[in-house]
Amino acid sequence: MIQRLFFILMFIFAASLVAQTSSAAVLEVPEDFFSIGEAFRHSEPGDQVHVAPGQYFEFNLILPLEVSLIGMGLQPENVIINALNQGRILVCENLTDRTVVQNITFINGVASGDLDNDKNGGAILLNNSSLSLINCRFINNSAARNGGALRCTHSSPQISNCYFEENAAPEGGGGAIDPSGPGGLAGRWTDTRTRLFLWPDGHFRWEEPQAC
């Protein structure tokens, strides 16, 4: 009797794992959803949003919990999110290391506004997040205060093989990443295509461009 109950419980546990795995979906843009924002609104934890090659004119996007954003081009230049200087491109808040942003170019993002937080992170604002940024490009983004491309607070992202060019901010972070907010930047910097200079005050600033 006990052995039979054990096998029943094991079957229920295995079935629940299969159900959790099978519930993850791939949402394709623009095949399934016209925009990245629309795909985000229909996503659930564990899903992946796959973006086909092209240029997408979007801003003020919020990456949902445990949803990954993947560009499907051969290079990050093939999938471009262009904010047209209308606002910040992406907010990443309370995201775990199960979240990946990969193979995408972020251009013309602007962080400006009345609230202090609106002035930071021209391309991406990370707060309390430990996601991975892999093989992405950040070009011509700006912030009114900190982090022309990225602003990180209470975050520990893994930044790998990313490229920064012509990003700007008058205060912390300058042309690339500002890790100086509350909690700083505790992540691993494994970039191989960007030269950054770590100033004594803890700010990463653009030193000089390097061909990718």
Side-chain angles (χ1 to χ4, degrees):
M1 179 66 181
I2 295 177
Q3 186 177 19
R4 182 180 179 185
L5 179 61
F6 173 77
F7 281 116
I8 291 174
L9 291 175
M10 288 297 294
F11 176 78
I12 293 173
F13 177 72
S16 67
L17 289 179
V18 171
Q20 292 176 10
T21 303
S22 61
S23 64
V26 173
L27 290 69
E28 298 188 11
V29 179
E31 182 175 339
D32 298 328
F33 299 95
F34 179 74
S35 68
I36 297 169
E38 184 185 4
F40 284 172
R41 288 188 289 272
H42 287 83
S43 65
E44 297 181 357
D47 289 351
Q48 292 188 356
V49 174
H50 288 187
V51 185
Q55 188 162 192
Y56 300 84
F57 301 100
E58 302 188 51
F59 57 95
N60 293 342
L61 298 170
I62 300 177
L63 188 59
L65 181 65
E66 294 188 5
V67 171
S68 291
L69 176 63
I70 312 294
M72 301 307 292
L74 296 177
Q75 302 291 335
E77 298 92 326
N78 300 138
V79 179
I80 299 171
I81 304 178
N82 186 345
L84 296 174
N85 298 313
Q86 297 298 305
R88 179 191 295 121
I89 298 174
L90 185 65
V91 172
C92 301
E93 192 163 19
N94 300 319
L95 303 182
T96 71
D97 57 6
R98 294 185 178 183
T99 302
V100 175
V101 176
Q102 183 173 355
N103 212 35
I104 291 175
T105 294
F106 298 87
I107 68 171
N108 299 328
V110 174
S112 63
D114 297 329
L115 300 177
D116 184 68
N117 209 37
D118 295 335
K119 305 178 191 300
N120 302 314
I124 300 179
L125 177 67
L126 294 93
N127 182 41
N128 193 35
S129 294
S130 55
L131 76 166
S132 294
L133 292 170
I134 303 171
N135 198 35
C136 291
R137 293 169 61 89
F138 298 87
I139 299 174
N140 197 41
N141 301 286
S142 63
R145 291 194 61 186
N146 304 290
L150 306 178
R151 163 77 164 182
C152 302
T153 59
H154 296 291
S155 295
S156 55
Q158 178 175 342
I159 303 173
S160 179
N161 203 37
C162 291
Y163 178 82
F164 297 79
E165 182 179 350
E166 298 297 333
N167 303 285
E171 299 182 23
I177 303 172
D178 174 38
S180 61
L185 175 64
R188 292 162 287 173
W189 180 265
T190 56
D191 195 297
T192 59
R193 295 194 299 172
T194 305
R195 293 186 64 186
L196 297 175
F197 181 75
L198 181 59
W199 284 46
D201 60 3
H203 298 165
F204 284 104
R205 286 187 172 85
W206 181 250
E207 184 182 21
E208 62 179 357
Q210 181 174 337
C212 59

